[in-house]
Amino acid sequence: MRNSTRFLLKLLTVLAFLVAVPGAAILAVSAVSSDAYAQSSRTIQNIDVEGNRRVETQTVVGYLRLGVGDRYDSVRADDSFKALFATGLFSDVKISLQGSTLLVELVENPIINRVAFEGNRKVTNDTLEAEVQLRPRIVFTRSRVTADVQRILTIYRRSGRFDARVEPKIIQLPQNRVDLVFEIIEGDKTKVSRINFVGNRAFSDSELQEEITTSESGLLSFLRSDDIYDPDRLAADQELLRRFYLNQGYADFRVVSAVADLDRDNNSFFITITVDEGELYFFGEVVVESNINGLNPDELRPVVITRPGDNYSLENIDKTLEDLTLEVSKLGFAFAQVRPQGRRDPETKLISIVYVIDEASAIYIERIDITGNTRTHDGVVRREFDVDEGDAYNRVLIDRAERRLNALDYFERVTISRSPGSAPDRVIVNVDVVDKSTGSLSVGAGFSTQDGVLGDISVTERNFLGRGNFVRLAASISGKRQDVDFSFTDPYFMDRRISAGIDIFSRRVDLEDESSFNLERHGAGLRFGFPITENWSITTRYQFSLEKITDVQASSSIAVFQAQGDSNASTIGYTIRFDTLDSSRNPTTGLYFTFTQDVAGLGGDVNYLRTTAEARAYYQFRPGIIGVVKLQGGHITGLGSDNVRLLDAFFKGGETIRGFDRSGLGPRDMVSGDALGGNIYFAATAEVQFPVPFLPEGLGFKGAVFVDAGSVYDTDLVTGTTFDRDGSGAIDLANETLVVQDSSSIRSSVGVSIIWNSPFGPLRADLAHVLSSSTFDDEQVFRFGGGTQF
């Protein structure tokens, strides 16, 4: 009975709880709902703004999504809260409804009084101030400070300091103002310790490193700035690799990845570039098709430089497009469009090219707008365009102008775009550039077995006064030579593609060891040059010089005694040049040829005709192995009754045929041993360059084997000529009679070389063995030369 009673009591208690709790919840919800309803049903009769000191109340009210006469809405109140915060003017915002008044409570962000930088030694304040967004009298916010910290870190990372740290410090001032100080720990430069290429078979690591701008750090890294990691530079290097491979015939080439791994212990990057070279392709059939009536494609064949059987080359396709477009325009078809179409055969590894010429829509250039050039004159930019206002718009010619502007190296960036003109058939060409520094001061040092220790200093400005002119003042001093030169060149003389220049020079050469005298030469000259075709050019010149032989020794050749004193020469000449080299610095393929003639006799004391020529051919047998063949020669003859002077003859030695001393070849006075120079010279060189075994390719060493052959001979100075050295009138035939030895026999040598593409510039050492020579030649087994500018 007692248990039954207890059970009944527990059951009644549980039932009471189950009934009471939902009822309470319902009452609570009802209370809340009724309160929210009460608020939302109230009409806003007033708006009070508190805490604002600098910001006007009306400005605050303008950001609210609620106004007087509106019913209070929590969603619109939240939107008002977000709108006020988004202004960046406030660090805290509260919005509430007090009765019928909307209360807006604000805490204003402080105003920046001063922005300062501490600890920065490698980056100037001006550079940092130009990059950060916060300034005095700007509202301070934490998000802006964080963004500026990242901007400062970006500057340091682009200069190779990935270990840099930046900590902002805030100094509170009266009247809700603050000083903002960025404390900077710059850290050491983060170098690129290694660049690895993966997947390359056709070209070695060292060859690919020559194509990119990022380099590995080494003992002499303090002379360079290209051995620091820069993400933008690495991205540009990938494009350089792509262009290189596409120009070498690898049409399927792609960069799979370019990864930079940071070794924090050594504060250096390891860069790994993975490439997929693909197969080597050649040009197959090359056809020009015309869809324009009256345009015969056969007339355009001579300008096509993509030939069947040659390695596929994107650069040659681009050049052919430009040349075809210009040629078609010359034939009177201003609105023609040339498009290349390629057909690839993976089995034969041939890519056939069809240049299709279609009639394009008639679009004219209404205006060319140039912006961003704060220093360079508009005319310097405009002259690189083959089109002008009113001409037919042609994208190929616009792209060509962009490449020309980039090649000038006057600008950090060149961007060309177009926008609609005043009519449907009009466009505006927009050219946006950013000027860069074009002046340089260079100091050089080096050593050679010919001139000994040498040094030079030069001041160069490539864009003088923003007019695109070239100015250079240089001085060079060595144990054997002292030179001072001034040069000025206007590449667009009279607004035409004609270069004009002036040269002023003063030289002193010590020839005591070779010919027992010193030579002084002072003069000036004028130059004019212009292109004939893409690869051919011509330069004409006039030069007037004062010459003097000094410091003649008592034992000098009587030919030197006869030539001593002052003279002047007035010469006019020209040089024709042909150049298809793939690189002017380290060529691997292509041809180079020059033909030069100078005539002296337009006034002055000297009359002669001098002709010289040089031809070089480069061929890549396989990656890293380069064959070089070089031919050169010259001839000089007196005009009228004049003989060729001692000063005007050709003095040749180890620079022409290795294994011989300076001026060690050619006619010689057997009494004094002095070199007399020759009227004729010729030489041939065959050389094979290759990687040095057992040495890492990244060190930049190459080996070479060579064969040189040639001769220097013929002189107008004849045996039996006598000269009274001391002016006594009595001639000692044993000492005052010229005895000339001369021979046109072939001199030849073989040898080996070490070539180092060092941070100081190219250095070369030659070890030669003479195979054939004349008994009176001066030989030299070892030859070394090199130097740089930094």
Side-chain angles (χ1 to χ4, degrees), residues 666-722:
R668 189 172 299 276
D669 183 346
M670 297 313 298
V671 175
S672 66
D674 292 340
L676 303 177
N679 294 346
I680 300 173
Y681 84 94
F682 63 88
T685 293
E687 180 173 291
V688 177
Q689 301 175 1
F690 52 85
V692 177
F694 312 114
L695 283 182
E697 295 178 351
L699 294 179
F701 282 94
K702 291 190 296 185
V705 294
F706 62 83
V707 177
D708 291 342
S711 185
V712 182
Y713 63 97
D714 191 32
T715 176
D716 289 346
L717 303 172
V718 296
T719 296
T721 302
T722 59

Side-chain angles (χ1 to χ4, degrees), residues 443-491:
V443 180
F447 173 81
S448 73
T449 51
Q450 176 170 306
D451 294 322
V453 178
L454 55 92
D456 63 72
I457 182 171
S458 66
V459 179
T460 304
E461 173 55 64
R462 295 180 289 105
N463 186 15
F464 185 63
L465 299 179
R467 298 180 179 275
N469 297 328
F470 177 92
V471 179
R472 182 174 184 266
L473 177 63
S476 177
I477 300 175
S478 71
K480 293 285 188 178
R481 179 185 296 268
Q482 296 84 45
D483 292 345
V484 178
D485 296 274
F486 172 79
S487 178
F488 174 87
T489 302
D490 182 355

Side-chain angles (χ1 to χ4, degrees), residues 489-493 496-501 527-530 538-539:
T489 302
D490 182 355
Y492 275 81
F493 183 63
R496 298 181 180 273
R497 290 192 180 276
I498 299 175
S499 65
R527 292 174 281 107
F528 295 93
F530 53 91
I538 186 170
T539 301

Side-chain angles (χ1 to χ4, degrees), residues 147-448:
D148 277 349
V149 167
Q150 292 303 315
R151 291 186 179 96
I152 295 172
L153 288 175
T154 298
I155 292 176
Y156 276 97
R157 286 170 180 169
R158 292 195 184 283
S159 63
R161 299 181 184 274
F162 279 77
D163 199 31
R165 286 171 289 168
V166 179
E167 185 176 352
K169 298 291 186 180
I170 302 166
I171 302 173
Q172 298 289 341
L173 300 175
Q175 300 178 350
N176 201 24
R177 296 176 300 123
V178 295
D179 283 346
L180 176 60
V181 180
F182 292 101
E183 292 187 354
I184 302 171
I185 300 176
E186 296 182 318
D188 296 327
K189 275 192 174 184
T190 310
K191 301 288 187 177
V192 176
S193 61
R194 182 67 178 168
I195 302 176
N196 293 318
F197 293 91
V198 178
N200 54 311
R201 302 182 309 277
F203 301 96
S204 64
D205 285 9
S206 61
E207 288 178 296
L208 296 184
Q209 285 191 24
E210 290 180 357
E211 299 301 325
I212 63 178
T213 56
T214 304
S215 66
E216 296 177 352
S217 61
L219 294 176
L220 303 174
S221 293
F222 64 92
L223 297 175
R224 309 195 315 264
S225 61
D226 56 3
D227 61 340
I228 60 176
Y229 172 67
D230 185 340
D232 291 342
R233 179 186 291 164
L234 183 58
D237 285 342
Q238 295 178 58
E239 178 61 20
L240 290 175
L241 286 174
R242 190 186 74 86
R243 297 286 301 187
F244 170 72
Y245 268 95
L246 289 178
N247 291 333
Q248 300 299 321
Y250 293 87
D252 295 330
F253 172 82
R254 65 189 182 96
V255 177
V256 178
S257 63
V259 180
D261 295 317
L262 177 61
D263 180 359
R264 294 195 176 276
D265 294 336
N266 296 315
N267 193 31
S268 63
F269 274 99
F270 292 87
I271 296 178
T272 302
I273 301 177
T274 304
V275 301
D276 180 5
E277 292 181 329
E279 298 293 335
L280 176 63
Y281 281 83
F282 301 88
F283 282 117
E285 184 182 14
V286 179
V287 178
V288 179
E289 292 184 357
S290 172
N291 296 325
I292 302 177
N293 292 331
L295 179 60
N296 184 1
D298 293 336
E299 298 180 27
L300 305 173
R301 292 293 305 179
V303 302
V304 177
I305 63 174
T306 51
R307 297 179 177 87
D310 290 351
N311 282 16
Y312 174 83
S313 171
L314 182 62
E315 181 180 7
N316 287 344
I317 293 176
D318 290 340
K319 287 183 179 179
T320 300
L321 279 177
E322 293 176 1
D323 293 343
L324 283 174
T325 302
L326 288 173
E327 191 66 22
V328 170
S329 298
K330 292 177 182 177
L331 294 175
F333 301 91
F335 298 104
Q337 180 181 17
V338 184
R339 295 178 294 106
Q341 295 180 351
R343 292 192 293 267
R344 181 178 316 196
D345 188 342
E347 294 183 359
T348 61
K349 302 299 183 294
L350 296 177
I351 298 179
S352 299
I353 303 294
V354 180
Y355 296 101
V356 181
I357 306 174
D358 292 315
E359 191 76 48
S361 301
I363 301 178
Y364 298 90
I365 298 175
E366 179 176 326
R367 193 169 69 248
I368 299 178
D369 289 341
I370 303 170
T371 58
N373 53 321
T374 57
R375 178 169 174 265
T376 304
H377 292 209
D378 281 6
V380 175
V381 178
R382 288 181 180 273
R383 68 193 187 190
E384 298 302 328
F385 285 80
D386 291 320
V387 291
D388 206 344
E389 281 91 348
D391 291 344
Y393 176 84
N394 190 297
R395 180 56 186 270
V396 172
L397 299 184
I398 296 297
D399 291 344
R400 184 185 201 180
E402 185 171 0
R403 285 194 295 273
R404 284 176 174 173
L405 289 172
N406 279 309
L408 292 176
D409 201 26
Y410 296 165
F411 309 107
E412 293 281 359
R413 187 187 70 248
V414 177
T415 304
I416 299 181
S417 60
R418 74 174 192 177
S419 56
S422 58
D425 63 343
R426 297 287 189 273
V427 295
I428 298 173
V429 177
N430 303 299
V431 185
D432 182 34
V433 300
V434 177
D435 281 311
K436 68 185 295 186
S437 175
T438 54
S440 65
L441 170 66
S442 65
V443 180
F447 173 81
S448 73

Side-chain angles (χ1 to χ4, degrees), residues 41-71:
S41 63
R42 295 179 192 173
T43 299
I44 299 173
Q45 297 181 0
N46 295 299
I47 297 177
D48 285 349
V49 179
E50 297 180 357
N52 57 315
R53 297 179 181 178
R54 298 186 311 274
V55 183
E56 296 290 338
T57 298
Q58 199 60 36
T59 301
V60 176
V61 173
Y63 283 101
L64 298 177
R65 304 296 186 261
L66 294 166
V68 175
D70 294 339
R71 290 187 175 184

